[in-house]
Amino acid sequence: MAGGKVERRHSLFPDFNDWFNREFPGLPGWRPATAAHSIPVEVTGGDGVYVLRAELPGMDPDDDITITVDDNLLTVRAEHSEGKEDKEHSEFRYGSFRRTVRLPVTIPADDVEASYADGILTILIPMPDEEDTTSVRTIPVKRAGEAAEGAGP
């Protein structure tokens, strides 16, 4: 199914992530203590490349963001720690964030690139004509505008 489109849901029911990423009526701010926040993403494709963009404001790409590839699953994990200063009011989200995206073919892990700028993580995923078997791999995230220094598995 090379060159296939990313599945877009058109359902009467929200995505599972939507249920647990929002407050439930009557339970303001409720979220299981161990649950990771969902990461808002958009995926576009064309010319043999999928582009996944994720909103991750306030993150340090060197320390806070991890990307893994396993077969046709790409997972973004992030951790945002709350500062020690007292706050009178905050609507920021702190803690663990995670999002897994299923693509229509096996992802060529060695060719995936990621960059971070202005709170947006951008991941370029070349989609091969043929499916290749790959192993789980961690993708380095570099700051936008920096040359890849020794980038590789």
Side-chain angles (χ1 to χ4, degrees), residues 111-128:
D111 298 328
V112 175
E113 294 180 10
S115 62
Y116 180 84
D118 301 327
I120 302 293
L121 174 67
T122 301
I123 305 170
L124 303 175
I125 308 150
M127 300 311 291

Side-chain angles (χ1 to χ4, degrees), residues 8-148:
R8 175 169 267 191
R9 293 184 148 167
H10 295 286
S11 172
L12 297 175
F13 302 102
D15 185 41
F16 182 77
N17 283 330
D18 292 339
W19 280 102
F20 289 98
N21 198 29
R22 296 196 174 114
E23 296 176 353
F24 286 95
L27 299 170
W30 183 84
R31 184 176 66 89
T34 58
H37 297 288
S38 182
I39 300 170
V41 299
E42 70 180 20
V43 179
T44 57
D47 298 324
V49 175
Y50 282 105
V51 178
L52 183 139
R53 292 171 24 100
E55 287 184 343
L56 290 168
M59 301 287 177
D60 178 350
D62 299 325
D63 298 324
D64 299 338
I65 301 172
T66 304
I67 302 167
T68 56
V69 171
D70 185 6
D71 194 35
N72 67 333
L73 299 175
L74 183 133
T75 301
V76 177
R77 289 183 180 85
E79 187 74 31
H80 192 205
S81 301
E82 187 171 3
K84 302 292 183 201
E85 66 276 356
D86 289 332
K87 298 169 192 70
E88 290 184 30
H89 177 79
S90 177
E91 295 180 3
F92 289 5
R93 290 189 177 208
Y94 298 101
S96 296
F97 297 79
R98 185 186 68 219
R99 186 65 180 266
T100 298
V101 176
R102 181 182 305 272
L103 295 173
V105 297
T106 299
I107 300 167
D110 293 335
D111 298 328
V112 175
E113 294 180 10
S115 62
Y116 180 84
D118 301 327
I120 302 293
L121 174 67
T122 301
I123 305 170
L124 303 175
I125 308 150
M127 300 311 291
D129 291 331
E130 299 176 13
E131 292 190 40
D132 295 324
T133 304
T134 59
S135 59
V136 176
R137 180 170 103 73
T138 300
I139 309 301
V141 179
K142 58 185 179 249
R143 291 186 187 274
E146 289 183 3

